Amino acid sequence: HELKVNGVSTKNHSTRKFSTHQALTGSLFPPELDNYANFSPGPCNLPPPVEAAIRDTINKPGPTSLALSHRSPEFLDIMVSAVDKIRSVMSVPDNYEIIFTHGGGHGQFASVPLNLTNSPDNLASYVISGTWSERAIVDANKYCKTEVIKGDYKSMPEIAGKVNKDSKFVYLCSNETVNCIEVFDLPTSEETNGVPLVVDASSDFTSKPICWDNVGVLFSCASKNIGHPGITVTIIRKDLLGSPSPYCPGVFDWTVNVEGENLWNTVATFNVEVVKFAFDWIEAEGGIAEMERRSKAKADLVYNVLDESDGFYG
């Protein structure tokens, strides 16, 4: 069968000749598939050693995580190892639970207010700095009252003294990719007026260390840095569990899923193993300190080109 991507055939792509470059049609297939760089913002290529680990596990004898029961001892070993590796690599304190959730980042846009507010009269503060925090508050407005701390979409707004102390949480996106705004130092408890911080770290998770002192909840969909689409890592401080909205579906209920040890609903088994492979690789490469060093080096390459373009790149 011939597959088309945005109207462009992928058949015999390595030898196909184009009168118009594929990139101009929206295709991600390069003219030559043997040696290419994929700069998609996500999903994107995983590191070659991670892709090699995936190939090896698929080619080994016996069932793989694609076919293992999520309650089998073989898969439970994989999942426990994945959770332990996330905790170790990201220095997640013991008073936080780590679960694998469904629905990507958008699923957590709804899960956050559904788990942290249990009445329509409850209040939440949202730092609106770009596209993703804008989307998040759309769901929050369905389940609770919200107050907005809004910026100019060019930098993260100052929040000190602006967070209502009655808020159940203050929400921010630590890397607004569409608007090119990243937070490198998360707000302190003093800056949030003692209100716990909820962080959408989908696009910068594993790119730098995280100070957990004021983090109540942090989530990251896998397809940016730690896997492929279909799973989200959600990290919750234990004292924030136990009081979800009565309207919270079980699949989005963090307490239900923590108590069910990640097994209340069938977890995306293969995705969990890929996340484990990704964290194995990060650890082997030198951990988060090395990932941060590489991130800064890559950023310097890009920004040096921009700065030296005499205004060509705006």
Side-chain angles (χ1 to χ4, degrees), residues 80-307:
V80 169
S81 178
V83 169
D84 288 347
K85 194 59 64 77
I86 293 169
R87 189 178 298 278
S88 172
V89 169
M90 297 306 301
S91 299
V92 180
D94 290 339
N95 62 320
Y96 288 78
E97 297 284 0
I98 301 172
I99 58 175
F100 297 106
T101 52
H102 299 269
H106 282 83
Q108 294 310 300
F109 292 170
S111 295
V112 166
L114 282 168
N115 280 275
L116 298 181
T117 66
N118 54 26
S119 166
D121 294 325
N122 287 162
L123 179 66
S125 293
Y126 273 71
V127 180
I128 305 299
S129 55
T131 297
W132 302 115
S133 48
E134 273 189 345
R135 288 199 183 185
I137 199 172
V138 170
D139 272 332
N141 284 329
K142 300 173 184 176
Y143 308 114
C144 64
K145 294 179 179 178
T146 59
E147 287 189 359
V148 172
I149 303 168
K150 194 165 187 177
D152 58 6
Y153 289 26
K154 295 180 181 178
S155 62
M156 185 62 62
E158 290 291 331
I159 69 171
K162 298 179 181 179
V163 179
N164 190 317
K165 64 180 178 58
D166 293 326
S167 297
K168 293 293 186 180
F169 62 90
V170 55
Y171 182 106
L172 66 79
C173 176
S174 57
N175 192 21
E176 291 277 12
T177 51
V178 177
N179 308 87
C180 304
I181 300 169
E182 185 171 8
V183 178
F184 294 96
D185 297 307
L186 294 175
T188 64
S189 179
E190 290 75 20
E191 290 175 303
T192 65
N193 209 5
V195 176
L197 193 63
V198 173
V199 184
D200 172 3
S202 290
S203 61
D204 60 346
F205 192 53
T206 71
S207 70
K208 57 181 181 282
I210 293 170
C211 177
W212 295 95
D213 292 350
N214 192 36
V215 174
V217 179
L218 182 144
F219 64 87
S220 172
C221 57
S223 59
K224 298 291 186 181
N225 297 324
I226 56 171
H228 60 277
I231 198 168
T232 300
V233 172
T234 301
I235 303 172
I236 311 115
R237 206 173 67 201
K238 292 180 180 180
D239 64 292
L240 297 177
L241 295 167
S243 298
S245 163
Y247 303 108
C248 185
V251 72
F252 283 171
D253 188 324
W254 300 333
T255 302
V256 166
N257 285 278
V258 165
E259 291 175 348
E261 298 181 329
N262 264 315
L263 300 174
W264 183 84
N265 187 63
T266 303
V267 69
T269 53
F270 177 63
N271 304 51
V272 170
E273 186 166 32
V274 172
V275 169
K276 175 189 174 300
F277 290 151
F279 275 92
D280 285 342
W281 175 79
I282 291 170
E283 183 179 61
E285 291 293 302
I288 291 303
E290 175 61 15
M291 296 300 106
E292 183 180 37
R293 186 196 68 79
R294 295 182 189 184
S295 296
K296 290 180 177 178
K298 289 183 286 187
D300 286 343
L301 288 173
V302 173
Y303 282 105
N304 286 342
V305 170
L306 299 178
D307 292 341

Side-chain angles (χ1 to χ4, degrees), residues 28 36-45 298 302:
L28 297 180
Y36 68 95
N38 182 355
F39 292 101
S40 292
C44 192
N45 289 68
K298 289 183 286 187
V302 173

